[in-house]
């Protein structure tokens, strides 16, 4: 039986010895404290006739029995055999390669999400990435053109940093869905993973780019890449950027939400993926949760545990305290006869 203590990773191999700790209060109060009642008493008018009565020896002698009790405490702990658990974990995983293709056109600043579509999409994507421990994940951004921001990597900290710093306006404006998908699929050309996935998130209609979305879809089919498409935005009207003012800031007006849902459904269907519509942060979060369940990494974990005994240190401490206590009683604190 092992008794786990408050600090995780430490235990006692023989915990029943810890019951002996209950004897320590008895040993303190009975021989050392109650013994005072049996001492002879001599009433005097002052302590001036005893020059050593207030010396450090007199004060220390009162507490010297605690040295023995502390030694006994360490001896009992040594008998209980404290141990530290040394755990080794070997993981054999069949990873999945995932590329996030995220729309960063100016319409992603629309405020039907709080604070806007882009910030919510970044936040939810970061949470998704943090859960994919054994997968390689890359990041492609697109608007009027496409750019690989981060190639496939296991370094989630770097990917999280890239996601945090995505901004609108770094690429030519527009919505080139075909180029975004093609760039994401192209990151898979050297992948040997058993499962290859693209998560394509957009809020618009393909209106630019020299690669047609259908061509990019066929490329994904030929390479065996499954595409999950996410349409972001509420139905009807939304506060959207319609231009820039003299100060360079975006000007917002109510504008119709236009998303090519038919194209996104076709891409998902032909690549054996799935189409989703996100109308708020909660539904977007549930979409990523659903993809996380659908694309589970198969892994086999073997745990090895070893224990390092710590009792020699306790035993040595107890021995040193017993020797110090005995020497003190035989020399400095030796009672007068």
């Amino acid at each position: 039986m092992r008794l786990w203590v408050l600090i995780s990773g430490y235990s006692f191999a023989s915990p029943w010895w810890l019951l002996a700790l209950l004897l320590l209060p008895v040993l303190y109060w009975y021989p050392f404290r109650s013994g005072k009642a049996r001492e002879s008493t001599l009433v005097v008018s002052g302590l001036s006739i005893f020059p050593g009565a207030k010396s450090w020896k007199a004060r220390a002698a009162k507490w010297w029995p605690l040295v023995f009790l502390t030694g006994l405490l360490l001896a009992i702990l040594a008998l209980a055999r404290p141990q530290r658990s040394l755990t080794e974990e070997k993981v054999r995983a069949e990873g999945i390669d995932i590329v996030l293709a995220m729309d960063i056109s100016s319409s992603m600043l629309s405020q039907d999400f709080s604070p806007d579509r882009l910030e919510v999409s970044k936040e939810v994507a970061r949470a998704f990435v943090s859960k994919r421990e054994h997968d390689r994940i890359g990041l492609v951004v697109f608007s009027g053109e496409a750019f690989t921001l981060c190639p496939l990597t296991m370094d989630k900290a770097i990917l999280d940093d890239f996601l945090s710093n995505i901004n609108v306006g770094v690429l030519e404006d527009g919505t080139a869905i075909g180029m975004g998908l093609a760039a994401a699929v192209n990151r898979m050309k050297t992948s040997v993973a058993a499962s290859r996935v693209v998560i394509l998130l957009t809020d618009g209609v393909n209106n630019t780019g020299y690669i047609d979305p259908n061509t990019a879809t066929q490329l994904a089919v030929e390479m065996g890449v499954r595409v999950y498409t996410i349409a972001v935005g509420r139905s009807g009207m939304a506060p959207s950027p319609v231009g820039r003012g003299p100060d360079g800031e975006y000007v917002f007006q109510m504008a119709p939400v236009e998303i090519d849902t038919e194209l996104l459904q076709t891409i998902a269907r032909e690549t054996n993926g799935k189409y989703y519509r996100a109308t708020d942060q909660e539904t977007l979060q549930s979409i990523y949760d659903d993809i996380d369940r659908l694309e589970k990494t198969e892994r086999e974990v073997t745990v090895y545990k070893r224990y390092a005994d710590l009792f020699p240190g306790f035993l040595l401490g107890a021995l040193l305290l017993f020797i110090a206590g005995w020497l003190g009683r035989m020399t400095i604190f030796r009672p007068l006869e």
Side-chain angles (χ1 to χ4, degrees), residues 185-205:
V185 172
N186 187 53
R187 303 313 306 177
M188 301 288 190
K189 62 183 179 182
T190 59
S191 172
V192 294
S195 182
R196 290 172 287 181
V197 172
V198 168
I199 301 176
L200 176 69
L201 182 146
T202 184
D203 69 342
V205 177

Side-chain angles (χ1 to χ4, degrees), residues 139-214:
L139 176 62
V140 168
V141 293
F142 67 93
S143 51
E145 52 189 337
F147 180 73
T148 299
L149 202 57
C150 181
L152 288 166
T153 180
M154 293 283 291
D155 193 332
K156 304 305 188 295
I158 290 179
L159 186 59
D160 183 80
D161 187 56
F162 277 118
L163 279 166
S164 301
N165 291 290
I166 290 176
N167 287 306
V168 168
V170 296
L171 298 175
E172 179 184 344
D173 205 13
T175 306
I177 295 175
M179 292 185 64
L181 178 56
V185 172
N186 187 53
R187 303 313 306 177
M188 301 288 190
K189 62 183 179 182
T190 59
S191 172
V192 294
S195 182
R196 290 172 287 181
V197 172
V198 168
I199 301 176
L200 176 69
L201 182 146
T202 184
D203 69 342
V205 177
N206 187 78
N207 55 23
T208 188
Y210 56 84
I211 299 179
D212 183 74
N214 294 321

Side-chain angles (χ1 to χ4, degrees), residues 301-315:
V301 180
T302 305
V303 177
Y304 303 89
K305 284 191 176 181
R306 295 180 292 114
Y307 296 92
D309 278 310
L310 304 178
F311 76 87
F314 289 86
L315 196 57

